[in-house]
Amino acid sequence: SPRAIWNDEMVTVSFYSSNPHEEDWIAAYSPPETYNTSTVPVKYGWCNDFSPTYLPDGTGTLTFNMTNLRADVRFVYVKGGYSHATHVNTSQFDLTYHNNNEQLRNRVVATGDPDVYTLMWSSASNTQPVIKWSTDKDSVLTQTGIDANTTFVNKTDLCGWPANDRGWRDMGLIHSASLSGMKALANTKIYYTFGDIASDTWSAMDGNGTTRIWDFYVPPLAGQQPINRPTTLVWFDDMGRGSNDQAYTWEHYGRASYNTTKSVGALVQTGAVDAIYHGG
């Protein structure tokens, strides 16, 4: 039977080989049946990278930070590096998620109109996506939902290989709804949640069933920055690719600057940042 986890949990995979080699690797495939096709894995790591015991005696572990992929995951032991990859064995258990329709990846996007911002998020199967918001955190859940539009990305929408070929993976549904009336709330904080009326699925923090209430600091209007602090922007790009685990990424050229990302997040949480420009 599958082992169930929540979004963003760490998963440790243990492995053993009687014939260890430096080009052996562990791959995570989702959905599970894609491991015997030409589809690339969603994550992978080299067996000897973080396990000094692997080459001497064939034992090792790798830790993977798993985003909710909305489909089960199968780990596969692979030999032969990239060029002669051979699937040798699969994990004893598949990995599954407690809620494939978990509401995730919310981001507030400027529209160019200071009175309107767009809230975007993703799901697996929302049919009545809405947002609720208020200036009072305790009253958010009692607000009338604002309907969201739904779009999705097809393989044919992508510009080229490998994204529209062996690198393709269905990303699910993308929802967007308007936060209107923001000019009157400039330089203040609003609170919101997002989800699906049909399935009664909302932006939950974890498995305890508590709906998470998020907050958004509405920027000051142009020319009206408070005199007690300057306008603060964060600009960054070329930060590497990856996550806070032991996985590699395609055409790997170094670990991601994860501590920098966490530092930016901490600044945002304190309300010290007005806007972020992320290039690349």
Side-chain angles (χ1 to χ4, degrees):
S1 60
R3 296 290 178 89
I5 65 168
W6 293 98
N7 176 62
D8 209 33
E9 281 195 40
M10 289 288 189
V11 175
T12 299
V13 179
S14 301
F15 45 87
Y16 167 75
S17 173
S18 59
N19 182 30
H21 190 275
E22 62 182 6
E23 290 195 332
D24 298 343
W25 45 296
I26 301 296
Y29 285 89
S30 178
E33 61 272 13
T34 59
Y35 86 92
N36 55 12
T37 71
S38 59
T39 300
V40 297
V42 293
K43 282 205 167 189
Y44 75 97
W46 296 99
C47 292
N48 68 325
D49 249 13
F50 293 89
S51 298
T53 59
Y54 182 68
L55 291 180
D57 61 24
T59 61
T61 60
L62 281 172
T63 301
F64 296 92
N65 180 211
M66 300 304 298
T67 298
N68 191 332
L69 298 169
R70 312 197 187 283
D72 290 358
V73 181
R74 181 168 299 166
F75 293 96
V76 180
Y77 175 74
V78 186
K79 295 188 74 69
Y82 294 140
S83 57
H84 299 90
T86 301
H87 296 152
V88 177
N89 206 349
T90 63
S91 52
Q92 183 179 5
F93 303 99
D94 286 346
L95 196 66
T96 192
Y97 297 93
H98 288 292
N99 178 13
N100 280 358
N101 196 41
E102 190 174 358
Q103 315 296 312
L104 295 172
R105 303 176 189 93
N106 52 306
R107 56 271 191 201
V108 178
V109 183
T111 64
D113 179 352
D115 200 42
V116 181
Y117 287 81
T118 298
L119 173 66
M120 304 179 69
W121 76 97
S122 71
S123 78
S125 56
N126 284 3
T127 58
Q128 291 181 268
V130 300
I131 62 171
K132 297 181 178 184
W133 71 272
S134 174
T135 55
D136 174 23
K137 185 176 182 179
D138 293 332
S139 68
V140 171
L141 296 178
T142 64
Q143 301 299 309
T144 301
I146 300 171
D147 292 340
N149 296 318
T150 299
T151 59
F152 53 89
V153 178
N154 287 314
K155 182 188 295 188
T156 54
D157 295 328
L158 302 181
C159 60
W161 186 92
N164 62 4
D165 187 60
R166 63 191 181 96
W168 163 256
R169 193 182 189 286
D170 189 348
M171 293 177 281
L173 303 177
I174 303 168
H175 312 289
S176 60
S178 295
L179 294 165
S180 301
M182 296 295 105
K183 288 178 70 173
L185 299 172
N187 204 34
T188 62
K189 184 179 288 187
I190 66 167
Y191 301 89
Y192 69 89
T193 188
F194 51 97
D196 180 39
I197 292 177
S199 62
D200 196 24
T201 304
W202 300 89
S203 50
M205 294 178 64
D206 48 38
N208 63 14
T210 302
T211 298
R212 179 170 181 176
I213 305 299
W214 300 78
D215 57 70
F216 167 54
Y217 181 80
V218 184
L221 295 175
Q224 297 184 18
Q225 181 69 22
I227 60 174
N228 62 328
R229 70 176 182 87
T231 299
T232 304
L233 308 179
V234 174
W235 294 61
F236 64 89
D237 56 56
D238 292 340
M239 297 277 287
R241 294 179 297 221
S243 54
N244 59 332
D245 59 9
Q246 297 173 345
Y248 265 59
T249 56
W250 179 64
E251 289 192 356
H252 195 85
Y253 56 82
R255 295 287 169 188
S257 303
Y258 192 71
N259 286 338
T260 302
T261 305
K262 289 196 295 184
S263 296
V264 171
L267 287 172
V268 170
Q269 287 300 311
T270 65
V273 175
D274 293 300
I276 295 175
Y277 174 84
H278 180 190

